[in-house]
Amino acid sequence: MPLPRPYALSIAGFDPSGGAGLLADCKTLESNAVYGLGVCTALTVQNDVTFERVQWVSAADILDQARLLFARFTIEYVKIGLIESLAQLPDLLAWLQAQNPRVRIIWDPVLKASAGYEFHSSLPRGLVEALCKPLALLTPNRPEMLRLWPAATPEAAAREVSSFCPVLLKGGHADGALATDILFLNGEEHLFTAPRLPHGEKHGSGCVLSAAVLAHLAKEESLEDACRAGKAYTATVLASNPTLLGYHSAFSTQHAYQ
């Protein structure tokens, strides 16, 4: 009989298309041999190309969902995605740490939907510092990094913020034949590179990457190895077919779209 899988919790929005948010996170966790638990923060009306509106779940209901999960399961790995109030996020982080002082948290800062809907504008630097200090990892794309921490370049911003927590700067929004993610960790920079695919754009690719990293952390890999494995897994999803919705099955990894 196989060993029990570790648990990982996604605290994120519900995307009916399944490309992003809770559904994408749980698909990713399952495909990486981790049991995915979910707490819903928002009900969105969207598909892979259009975002119409969002109905937020109250902070009390978010905690009630999570409370029963922590009461039943040993949860040491949590990813946070879309959330209504970033000013209240430090309270959620503190609550999670109170449930399990060993918890490792990834924040994937969803500031704008890929279909164009704005969730959050720029944030005070003091708030960003407070949000980052409890984190095991921050996973912004290049525009998000500059919105979180204005600087001359996304790399400069990530370098500064990495004094608070490790930062995985996603390279999908850059130009060139290669897509390079950079992990800023303890004053060092680790590069993870993959070819930029001609049909590789996918709705929710950032969700997939951060959830894949979380899965490998839950399997007790180092942060550097987890980011490398997360990048590789995301590349298989991006290559799985030419649409905006990636496939997570084992079939997609063996018969990737070229």
Side-chain angles (χ1 to χ4, degrees):
M1 180 176 293
L3 294 174
R5 293 183 174 188
Y7 295 106
L9 171 63
S10 170
I11 302 177
F14 180 79
D15 166 16
S17 79
L22 279 177
L23 291 178
D25 288 350
C26 286
K27 291 177 189 177
T28 301
L29 293 168
E30 178 72 17
S31 295
N32 285 277
V34 171
Y35 192 92
L37 304 166
V39 166
C40 184
T41 62
L43 300 173
T44 69
V45 178
Q46 66 171 307
N47 56 32
D48 56 328
V49 296
T50 301
F51 192 108
E52 290 190 353
R53 57 186 172 87
V54 57
Q55 179 179 328
W56 297 106
V57 175
S58 71
D61 285 341
I62 291 171
L63 293 186
D64 280 347
Q65 292 176 73
R67 176 176 51 80
L68 283 182
L69 295 177
F70 274 95
R72 173 67 171 160
F73 307 108
T74 300
I75 303 172
E76 296 185 355
Y77 302 91
V78 177
K79 171 196 161 177
I80 299 175
L82 179 62
I83 198 158
E84 178 180 16
S85 173
L86 296 185
Q88 294 178 2
L89 185 51
D91 293 336
L92 176 58
L93 296 173
W95 185 89
L96 291 169
Q97 290 177 314
Q99 307 315 299
N100 185 347
R102 291 167 50 88
V103 71
R104 299 183 71 185
I105 304 169
I106 293 178
W107 179 33
D108 185 31
V110 182
L111 307 180
K112 181 178 180 179
S114 57
Y117 189 93
E118 294 274 356
F119 295 114
H120 303 289
S121 58
S122 59
L123 304 174
R125 288 200 170 199
L127 176 58
V128 174
E129 179 177 352
L131 291 173
C132 289
K133 283 185 173 179
L135 299 179
L137 184 66
L138 176 71
T139 61
N141 60 34
R142 296 173 66 82
E144 288 165 344
M145 189 71 254
L146 289 176
R147 188 173 296 190
L148 288 170
W149 199 266
T153 65
E155 290 82 0
R159 212 167 279 123
E160 293 179 33
V161 172
S162 68
S163 64
F164 311 133
C165 70
V167 177
L168 180 62
L169 180 64
K170 297 176 287 194
H173 287 75
D175 297 322
L178 299 176
T180 300
D181 300 346
I182 307 173
L183 173 64
F184 296 81
L185 174 65
N186 297 328
E188 298 182 351
E189 299 177 14
H190 306 272
L191 276 60
F192 311 107
T193 299
R196 194 177 301 277
L197 302 169
H199 301 280
E201 182 181 356
K202 292 288 181 286
H203 173 57
S205 56
C207 299
V208 171
L209 176 60
S210 53
V213 173
L214 186 73
H216 285 273
L217 286 179
K219 293 190 286 188
E220 300 185 350
E221 298 179 20
S222 70
L223 183 56
E224 181 182 352
D225 287 345
C227 289
R228 181 178 294 106
K231 175 74 169 179
Y233 177 78
T234 303
T236 68
V237 174
L238 297 181
S240 63
N241 74 88
T243 77
L244 290 175
L245 297 175
Y247 299 153
H248 292 260
S249 67
F251 178 87
S252 70
T253 65
Q254 298 169 14
H255 302 82
Y257 177 87
Q258 301 296 328

